[in-house]
Each structure stands twice: as structure tokens, then as C-alpha cells.
Amino acid sequence: MRLFYALLFPESTLQQLTSIQNTIVPYLSKGNPTSKGNLHLTLAFLGEQDEKILPLLSDILEAMPKREMEVLFNHVGTFPKQGGDIIYSGIAHHTGLFQLQKTLVALLQAYHVVFKDTRFKAHITLFRRARYTELPEIAGFTSKAKSIALMQSHRVQGILTYTPLFSKILQ
């Protein structure tokens, strides 16, 4: 199973992010948008994992703090990639968010979950394999995250789908 932990946002935020995608589309010569249902902020990518460790991964999720978190989406950025860039909605530095991610990584390491711990860059992917000459300026907005979830990345009838397996509401 291809798994990751993610911060999920309410429908109103997903609609705002979709609106940003629609603003960007005229600037693209190529690009695959992230579907509204797949928009999320990855906290830790676990890659392929045996389903036998799902109970452990659920316990790790339960050990995470439940504190409410409001973030500021304040820019659009890119990650250069061969074959087309990733365009993302970036989040202003937020100490609580970085602490949450560090706590998750520490728990995964303490329980010997094998994964690649990469440098954390708080963002939500809007497009993959994008080609463009410029990108528009986007007005910032704030949003409260609604939950942390253990997600499965899989294909449903050929469509990439991110399905929450376990989630924890933030309060």
C-alpha cells in the first residue's frame, strides 16, 4: 500500500484552492491539475508499506496532538521537474505546523517505520507536469486544518485517488 500522512482542509478551502487552479490554467501550456478531492498537505510520505503495519500507523496518528491550526496560504510556487514542474500553493512559515510534522517524524522513527524523511516544505500541490512562461499573483487567505489523516494513494478505475484510512479531527 502506498501511504502518507496528510493535513486535510475543509470544503471551503478546497474551493478556494480550486479557484486558484482556475486562475492559473490560462498561464499553462501544459499541466495536470490535482483533483479537488486529492488536495492535501503532506506531512510525511511513507511510500509502499505492508498493510500489516496499519494498526501501528493508526496508533501513531492517535498519538499526534489535536490542537487546532490556522495557516496562511500566501504564495504560488514551483518545484522544477524534468517533464514539467509542480505548481503549488505555499504556506507561510508556521511554527506549530513544523512542530506537528517533526512530532510525526519522531514517532515514525521511534516505532521503526521505514520511510524517507525529506526536508519539509509546507505546500499543497495544484498541478503536476506543468509548463508555463509566468504565473499570476494570488491573493493570500487563511484556513484552519480540519484533520490529520493516514492516506492511501491508489488508482480507482484508472484515476489517482487519495483515500483517508484513519483520521483525527483537530480541535
Side-chain angles (χ1 to χ4, degrees), residues 63-76:
M64 293 291 292
K66 288 171 64 162
R67 80 180 71 93
E68 188 173 85
M69 185 169 308
E70 185 172 67
V71 296
L72 169 63
F73 292 89
N74 68 345
H75 66 284
V76 169

PDB file of all heavy atoms in Angstrom, residues 63-76:
ATOM      1  N   ALA A  63      -1.519   9.231  18.582  1.00  0.00           N
ATOM      2  CA  ALA A  63      -0.556   9.857  19.496  1.00  0.00           C
ATOM      3  C   ALA A  63      -0.263  11.314  19.120  1.00  0.00           C
ATOM      4  O   ALA A  63       0.348  12.049  19.906  1.00  0.00           O
ATOM      5  CB  ALA A  63       0.742   9.055  19.525  1.00  0.00           C
ATOM      6  N   MET A  64      -0.695  11.737  17.951  1.00  0.00           N
ATOM      7  CA  MET A  64      -0.425  13.109  17.491  1.00  0.00           C
ATOM      8  C   MET A  64      -1.290  14.107  18.258  1.00  0.00           C
ATOM      9  O   MET A  64      -2.420  13.802  18.623  1.00  0.00           O
ATOM     10  CB  MET A  64      -0.724  13.224  15.988  1.00  0.00           C
ATOM     11  CG  MET A  64       0.206  12.423  15.105  1.00  0.00           C
ATOM     12  SD  MET A  64       1.873  13.075  15.097  1.00  0.00           S
ATOM     13  CE  MET A  64       1.615  14.628  14.258  1.00  0.00           C
ATOM     14  N   PRO A  65      -0.757  15.318  18.476  1.00  0.00           N
ATOM     15  CA  PRO A  65      -1.555  16.355  19.150  1.00  0.00           C
ATOM     16  C   PRO A  65      -2.780  16.736  18.320  1.00  0.00           C
ATOM     17  O   PRO A  65      -2.757  16.652  17.089  1.00  0.00           O
ATOM     18  CB  PRO A  65      -0.589  17.535  19.286  1.00  0.00           C
ATOM     19  CG  PRO A  65       0.580  17.223  18.435  1.00  0.00           C
ATOM     20  CD  PRO A  65       0.576  15.774  18.119  1.00  0.00           C
ATOM     21  N   LYS A  66      -3.847  17.180  19.005  1.00  0.00           N
ATOM     22  CA  LYS A  66      -5.104  17.501  18.335  1.00  0.00           C
ATOM     23  C   LYS A  66      -5.329  18.999  18.192  1.00  0.00           C
ATOM     24  O   LYS A  66      -6.417  19.424  17.847  1.00  0.00           O
ATOM     25  CB  LYS A  66      -6.278  16.932  19.144  1.00  0.00           C
ATOM     26  CG  LYS A  66      -6.400  15.450  19.086  1.00  0.00           C
ATOM     27  CD  LYS A  66      -7.428  14.929  20.060  1.00  0.00           C
ATOM     28  CE  LYS A  66      -8.823  15.382  19.766  1.00  0.00           C
ATOM     29  NZ  LYS A  66      -9.842  14.562  20.431  1.00  0.00           N
ATOM     30  N   ARG A  67      -4.324  19.804  18.463  1.00  0.00           N
ATOM     31  CA  ARG A  67      -4.580  21.247  18.519  1.00  0.00           C
ATOM     32  C   ARG A  67      -4.974  21.828  17.169  1.00  0.00           C
ATOM     33  O   ARG A  67      -4.447  21.450  16.126  1.00  0.00           O
ATOM     34  CB  ARG A  67      -3.401  21.979  19.126  1.00  0.00           C
ATOM     35  CG  ARG A  67      -2.228  22.231  18.212  1.00  0.00           C
ATOM     36  CD  ARG A  67      -1.110  22.960  18.932  1.00  0.00           C
ATOM     37  NE  ARG A  67      -0.445  22.129  19.900  1.00  0.00           N
ATOM     38  CZ  ARG A  67       0.645  21.422  19.637  1.00  0.00           C
ATOM     39  NH1 ARG A  67       1.191  21.455  18.460  1.00  0.00           N
ATOM     40  NH2 ARG A  67       1.202  20.689  20.568  1.00  0.00           N
ATOM     41  N   GLU A  68      -5.920  22.737  17.250  1.00  0.00           N
ATOM     42  CA  GLU A  68      -6.397  23.442  16.058  1.00  0.00           C
ATOM     43  C   GLU A  68      -5.244  24.227  15.429  1.00  0.00           C
ATOM     44  O   GLU A  68      -4.378  24.735  16.131  1.00  0.00           O
ATOM     45  CB  GLU A  68      -7.508  24.394  16.507  1.00  0.00           C
ATOM     46  CG  GLU A  68      -8.238  25.067  15.400  1.00  0.00           C
ATOM     47  CD  GLU A  68      -9.416  25.846  15.942  1.00  0.00           C
ATOM     48  OE1 GLU A  68      -9.198  27.006  16.359  1.00  0.00           O
ATOM     49  OE2 GLU A  68     -10.522  25.303  15.959  1.00  0.00           O
ATOM     50  N   MET A  69      -5.269  24.328  14.110  1.00  0.00           N
ATOM     51  CA  MET A  69      -4.175  25.004  13.424  1.00  0.00           C
ATOM     52  C   MET A  69      -4.714  25.834  12.268  1.00  0.00           C
ATOM     53  O   MET A  69      -5.393  25.302  11.391  1.00  0.00           O
ATOM     54  CB  MET A  69      -3.195  23.956  12.909  1.00  0.00           C
ATOM     55  CG  MET A  69      -1.967  24.539  12.301  1.00  0.00           C
ATOM     56  SD  MET A  69      -0.725  23.278  12.003  1.00  0.00           S
ATOM     57  CE  MET A  69      -0.600  22.484  13.587  1.00  0.00           C
ATOM     58  N   GLU A  70      -4.417  27.124  12.289  1.00  0.00           N
ATOM     59  CA  GLU A  70      -4.785  28.000  11.187  1.00  0.00           C
ATOM     60  C   GLU A  70      -3.515  28.378  10.440  1.00  0.00           C
ATOM     61  O   GLU A  70      -2.535  28.774  11.054  1.00  0.00           O
ATOM     62  CB  GLU A  70      -5.486  29.257  11.698  1.00  0.00           C
ATOM     63  CG  GLU A  70      -5.988  30.142  10.577  1.00  0.00           C
ATOM     64  CD  GLU A  70      -6.850  31.279  11.081  1.00  0.00           C
ATOM     65  OE1 GLU A  70      -6.313  32.159  11.779  1.00  0.00           O
ATOM     66  OE2 GLU A  70      -8.055  31.272  10.781  1.00  0.00           O
ATOM     67  N   VAL A  71      -3.554  28.228   9.120  1.00  0.00           N
ATOM     68  CA  VAL A  71      -2.381  28.527   8.300  1.00  0.00           C
ATOM     69  C   VAL A  71      -2.731  29.604   7.279  1.00  0.00           C
ATOM     70  O   VAL A  71      -3.898  29.820   6.953  1.00  0.00           O
ATOM     71  CB  VAL A  71      -1.845  27.265   7.579  1.00  0.00           C
ATOM     72  CG1 VAL A  71      -1.359  26.231   8.585  1.00  0.00           C
ATOM     73  CG2 VAL A  71      -2.878  26.677   6.640  1.00  0.00           C
ATOM     74  N   LEU A  72      -1.681  30.264   6.780  1.00  0.00           N
ATOM     75  CA  LEU A  72      -1.829  31.304   5.771  1.00  0.00           C
ATOM     76  C   LEU A  72      -1.267  30.792   4.450  1.00  0.00           C
ATOM     77  O   LEU A  72      -0.077  30.500   4.351  1.00  0.00           O
ATOM     78  CB  LEU A  72      -1.078  32.570   6.201  1.00  0.00           C
ATOM     79  CG  LEU A  72      -0.920  33.677   5.141  1.00  0.00           C
ATOM     80  CD1 LEU A  72      -2.282  34.235   4.727  1.00  0.00           C
ATOM     81  CD2 LEU A  72      -0.022  34.785   5.688  1.00  0.00           C
ATOM     82  N   PHE A  73      -2.151  30.641   3.458  1.00  0.00           N
ATOM     83  CA  PHE A  73      -1.724  30.339   2.092  1.00  0.00           C
ATOM     84  C   PHE A  73      -1.337  31.684   1.498  1.00  0.00           C
ATOM     85  O   PHE A  73      -2.199  32.543   1.305  1.00  0.00           O
ATOM     86  CB  PHE A  73      -2.871  29.704   1.293  1.00  0.00           C
ATOM     87  CG  PHE A  73      -3.231  28.329   1.772  1.00  0.00           C
ATOM     88  CD1 PHE A  73      -4.180  28.147   2.769  1.00  0.00           C
ATOM     89  CD2 PHE A  73      -2.634  27.205   1.218  1.00  0.00           C
ATOM     90  CE1 PHE A  73      -4.521  26.883   3.206  1.00  0.00           C
ATOM     91  CE2 PHE A  73      -2.967  25.935   1.645  1.00  0.00           C
ATOM     92  CZ  PHE A  73      -3.913  25.773   2.650  1.00  0.00           C
ATOM     93  N   ASN A  74      -0.042  31.892   1.228  1.00  0.00           N
ATOM     94  CA  ASN A  74       0.380  33.245   0.858  1.00  0.00           C
ATOM     95  C   ASN A  74       1.137  33.375  -0.463  1.00  0.00           C
ATOM     96  O   ASN A  74       1.550  34.467  -0.816  1.00  0.00           O
ATOM     97  CB  ASN A  74       1.218  33.856   1.987  1.00  0.00           C
ATOM     98  CG  ASN A  74       2.557  33.165   2.161  1.00  0.00           C
ATOM     99  OD1 ASN A  74       2.789  32.080   1.649  1.00  0.00           O
ATOM    100  ND2 ASN A  74       3.432  33.809   2.901  1.00  0.00           N
ATOM    101  N   HIS A  75       1.324  32.280  -1.193  1.00  0.00           N
ATOM    102  CA  HIS A  75       2.009  32.406  -2.475  1.00  0.00           C
ATOM    103  C   HIS A  75       1.814  31.155  -3.330  1.00  0.00           C
ATOM    104  O   HIS A  75       1.407  30.110  -2.831  1.00  0.00           O
ATOM    105  CB  HIS A  75       3.509  32.664  -2.280  1.00  0.00           C
ATOM    106  CG  HIS A  75       4.244  31.514  -1.665  1.00  0.00           C
ATOM    107  ND1 HIS A  75       4.189  31.198  -0.333  1.00  0.00           N
ATOM    108  CD2 HIS A  75       5.062  30.587  -2.232  1.00  0.00           C
ATOM    109  CE1 HIS A  75       4.941  30.148  -0.076  1.00  0.00           C
ATOM    110  NE2 HIS A  75       5.482  29.747  -1.214  1.00  0.00           N
ATOM    111  N   VAL A  76       2.101  31.316  -4.611  1.00  0.00           N
ATOM    112  CA  VAL A  76       2.165  30.189  -5.532  1.00  0.00           C
ATOM    113  C   VAL A  76       3.641  30.009  -5.865  1.00  0.00           C
ATOM    114  O   VAL A  76       4.357  30.981  -6.106  1.00  0.00           O
ATOM    115  CB  VAL A  76       1.345  30.465  -6.812  1.00  0.00           C
ATOM    116  CG1 VAL A  76       1.620  29.416  -7.883  1.00  0.00           C
ATOM    117  CG2 VAL A  76      -0.140  30.491  -6.489  1.00  0.00           C
TER     118      VAL A  76
END
